Amino acid sequence: TIRAIYAPVGFVYLAFTQRVGFWFLFLKVFSSDRQAVHVFRVGIHVFAKFGFRVLTNRLNHNYLIDEGVSHIPFILMLEKDEINRFVDLFDLYLRGSKIVFLRVDENILRARLERRGHKRIRNSNDFEKFVGHHIRVMSEYWSALVSQGFNLLDDL
C-alpha cells in the first residue's frame, strides 16, 4: 500500500508542476466530507498517490499498486463531468500506468463492504450512499477512460 509519508511530496509536486490539477484535487478534497478527520484522510490518500509516483518514477521498476493515481475518482466520488476533467488533467499520469479496471457486481461490492467496513460509513444511510456512488463512479470512469482511448486491463 502507499503510505501517508508520500503525501507531502505529492502535495508539493502537484502545487508546483500541475497547478490546475492541484487546485482541482485540493478543492475536491476539502468538499469530500463534513468531518475534518475524514477530509484529512482523503487528502492524505489523494496526494500520497502522486508522491509515490514521483519518488518511484525514475527507478525503472514495475510496481503493482492497489488503488494508485487511477483510484482518485473513487476516493473523491467525482461526478461525471469531474471524472472527465480528472482524466483530462491527469492524462499523462494515467497513460504512464497500466490500469487494471475491475468492474464488480453490486451484490459482490455490498458483501465485501459489509465484511471489511469503511471509515466513511457511519450508518446504514452512509452505506447505501457509498455503494450507489461507487457503482456510478465505476461505470462513468470506465466509460471516460475507454472513450479517451485508454487500453484497460478489464475484468480479470
Side-chain angles (χ1 to χ4, degrees), residues 12 15 23 25 32 35 46 48 61 67 76 89 103 108 111-112 117-118 126 128 132 138 148 153 155:
V12 171
W23 284 109
L25 294 175
S32 66
Q35 294 185 356
V46 167
H61 290 76
E67 301 183 357
L76 296 174
L89 287 170
R103 293 181 291 166
I108 294 170
R112 288 179 184 167
H118 195 281
D126 287 348
E128 292 304 320
M138 182 173 51
Q148 292 196 29
L153 300 171
D155 291 333

Side-chain angles (χ1 to χ4, degrees), residues 73-74 77-78 83 133-142:
F74 291 97
M77 295 293 179
L78 299 179
I83 291 170
H133 284 304
H134 188 89
I135 296 295
R136 178 191 53 75
V137 169
M138 182 173 51
S139 173
E140 293 171 355
Y141 189 29
W142 185 86

Side-chain angles (χ1 to χ4, degrees), residues 58-83:
R58 297 176 192 226
L59 295 178
N60 293 324
H61 290 76
N62 289 322
Y63 294 94
L64 179 59
I65 303 170
D66 180 21
E67 301 183 357
V69 170
S70 65
H71 191 69
I72 291 172
F74 291 97
I75 295 169
L76 296 174
M77 295 293 179
L78 299 179
E79 298 296 329
K80 185 175 184 175
D81 61 327
E82 295 169 331
I83 291 170

Side-chain angles (χ1 to χ4, degrees), residues 15 18 69 98 109:
Q18 176 73 337
V69 170
K98 290 181 181 171
L109 175 65

